[in-house]
Amino acid sequence: MSIDDGAAQAARGPLSDLRVVEMGQLLAGPFCGQLLGDFGAEVIKLESPGAGDPMRQWGREKPHGKSLWWPVVARNKKSVTCNLRTEEGQDLARRIIAEADIVVENFRPGTLERWGLDFESLREANPGLVLVRVSGFGQTGPYSPRAGYGSIGEAMGGIRYVTGDPGNAPSRAGISLGDSLAAVFATIGTLVAVHNRTRTGRGQVVDSAIYEAVLAMMESLLPEWAVAGYQRERTGSVLPNVSPSNVYPTASGEMILIAANQDTVFARLAKTMGRPELSDDPRYAGHAARGRNMAELDDVIAAWSAGIETAELLQTLHDNGVPAGRIYTAKDMFEDPHFAARDAIVRLAHPDFGELPMHNAFPKLSETPGAVRHPGPGLGEHNREVYGGLLDLDQAQISALSERGVI
């Protein structure tokens, strides 16, 4: 690759030499496709003719009768309609996959095999293919055939049990956490598999299970039970034995977070409060002591914070090197200068919504950053480009496929 070619590729994105075929729907698989597309991969999304991915209809608010979620999860992708439940549709998918580097799917295990799109068959035509499979319970094991949604994976992976107030039933986060975590791990696995392919020339299967992705976030939960006989429980707004790290009231009637659980940081907090002796008090001197006396220490801090207006309190804490902050809503994010300075929110032109804001591509790379190039496409918007350009079908053939309900 010449220097000019390398610069052009970097401008399109560091993954612009990769072609991804995204199959499946809703969130876990498509979020993996979104992450790859954010960094330049060509993502061809196969959707059912007529309705497409149900994500086109999901979301609470629907201005103009259209989802505000779809433009985000389908950003940077190409939409191609293909009825995978027909032999003709399966043949079209097979031909597109033969020209691809990666396939991402999140059907129930066994579905691709029933359609004749199993990995071994696909690899015969494309030895370097990386097949990324996202599911509730993985591709093997006694639970693999079960239908698996993100909420079930969150429960089985352990996070649901420890989330919420101790006096109430387990809570869930207000987002699709399990699906998103499985997609992030699928993306990591994809990049590892592609890297390995550069050395061996061979593709492989990436198997990302929702419950395992959640389990990977559970810190020392397993050895705590197996070795110490300790079962983590719901603890509301705090983590057991991590203190002080909680929400505290202000004179403005708001709640802010203060996290000063490290010894040196707690000493700074105590000095900021005008109570430097607290850091030497045997009840609070050291991580374990503060953990044992968490409730009492929270009361001391709350009594101090409640007498200071929010803005003044936060500025004082920041000036003294104590981590603290407001609990943000979407409105707060739009008004925050740090979000603006780092371009955390981008705004794109949308045919229905006008200017449409959404979160940017993360993480930031100094030489080859990701980018949001366009919002989610219309259903079948790229049929002619893909079927005509990639598969070399003429307009008559494309029209005939459409009339038969194949695309």
Side-chain angles (χ1 to χ4, degrees):
M1 180 184 295
S2 70
I3 293 176
D4 289 342
D5 289 342
Q9 179 176 318
R12 295 192 302 271
L15 302 182
S16 61
D17 58 333
L18 297 177
R19 176 176 290 134
V20 179
V21 177
E22 180 188 299
M23 305 164 74
Q25 56 192 22
L26 297 176
L27 193 56
F31 186 40
C32 175
Q34 176 198 317
L35 295 174
L36 295 171
D38 281 353
F39 287 92
E42 179 191 16
V43 181
I44 300 173
K45 180 174 179 61
L46 304 186
E47 299 187 73
S48 297
D53 192 323
M55 289 299 296
R56 290 181 176 275
Q57 306 301 324
W58 276 38
R60 178 183 174 89
E61 302 299 324
K62 295 188 180 67
H64 308 286
K66 296 190 175 182
S67 168
L68 289 167
W69 200 343
W70 172 257
V72 179
V73 73
R75 68 193 195 187
N76 297 330
K77 299 178 184 179
K78 298 176 180 179
S79 172
V80 170
T81 50
C82 182
N83 188 346
L84 293 171
R85 290 167 175 78
T86 67
E87 290 187 6
E88 283 186 288
Q90 293 157 11
D91 182 62
L92 288 173
R94 197 173 292 110
R95 292 173 62 185
I96 295 173
I97 291 169
E99 304 296 329
D101 299 280
I102 300 159
V103 172
V104 178
E105 65 96 5
N106 66 323
F107 299 113
R108 191 183 299 192
T111 300
L112 287 190
E113 287 75 8
R114 288 197 303 273
W115 292 341
L117 299 174
D118 58 280
F119 179 62
E120 293 305 323
S121 297
L122 296 174
R123 186 158 64 170
E124 288 181 9
N126 188 348
L129 182 69
V130 173
L131 176 59
V132 184
R133 313 195 72 171
V134 189
S135 62
F137 306 103
Q139 300 299 311
T140 61
Y143 299 164
S144 61
R146 294 180 181 178
Y149 269 24
S151 59
I152 307 304
E154 291 164 22
M156 185 175 171
I159 200 166
R160 182 67 72 96
Y161 184 81
V162 301
T163 302
D165 292 316
N168 297 323
S171 300
R172 70 167 296 167
I175 56 171
S176 302
L177 185 62
D179 291 290
S180 297
L181 285 173
V184 171
F185 278 101
T187 304
I188 295 171
T190 300
L191 299 178
V192 171
V194 169
H195 177 71
N196 183 71
R197 189 182 65 179
T198 64
R199 298 186 298 174
T200 67
R202 289 179 59 81
Q204 60 183 298
V205 175
V206 177
D207 182 355
S208 181
I210 295 174
Y211 88 95
E212 289 170 348
V214 174
L215 180 62
M217 298 289 102
M218 296 311 296
E219 302 172 345
S220 57
L221 179 140
L222 293 176
E224 285 171 356
W225 170 255
V227 177
Y230 172 70
Q231 171 62 57
R232 289 198 190 190
E233 300 289 344
R234 293 181 290 286
T235 54
S237 62
V238 300
L239 287 176
N241 304 314
V242 177
S243 178
S245 183
N246 205 341
V247 291
Y248 302 94
T250 74
S252 307
E254 297 180 275
M255 301 292 289
I256 68 165
L257 279 165
I258 300 176
N261 45 286
Q262 189 177 352
D263 288 351
T264 54
V265 181
F266 178 66
R268 294 200 293 267
L269 173 61
K271 183 178 179 181
T272 302
M273 294 170 61
R275 301 280 306 276
E277 73 280 2
L278 290 175
S279 61
D280 296 319
D281 188 315
R283 294 171 297 173
Y284 313 131
H287 179 79
R290 290 192 299 275
R292 287 192 299 269
N293 297 285
M294 175 187 294
E296 180 181 345
L297 181 55
D298 278 344
D299 289 342
V300 172
I301 298 170
W304 167 73
S305 67
I308 308 173
E309 298 289 331
T310 302
E312 179 187 352
L313 176 59
L314 285 171
Q315 191 61 55
T316 299
L317 291 166
H318 296 158
D319 289 345
N320 286 278
V322 179
R326 287 185 169 91
I327 302 170
Y328 275 22
T329 64
K331 179 177 181 292
D332 298 318
M333 297 174 190
F334 281 109
E335 297 172 351
D336 188 279
H338 191 77
F339 277 67
R342 286 180 57 81
D343 296 321
I345 299 173
V346 294
R347 290 168 170 81
L348 290 81
H350 189 278
D352 298 308
F353 306 130
E355 183 182 80
L356 183 68
M358 64 182 69
H359 57 272
N360 208 340
F362 309 121
K364 295 181 179 296
L365 277 68
S366 61
E367 297 294 329
T368 55
V372 185
R373 296 175 297 280
H374 59 79
L379 182 61
E381 182 177 327
H382 300 90
N383 279 3
R384 182 172 298 184
E385 174 185 336
V386 173
Y387 288 129
L390 185 62
L391 300 190
D392 201 28
L393 302 182
D394 60 33
Q395 186 54 50
Q397 291 172 305
I398 295 172
S399 297
L401 287 169
S402 179
E403 290 172 2
R404 293 197 298 274
V406 179
I407 65 174

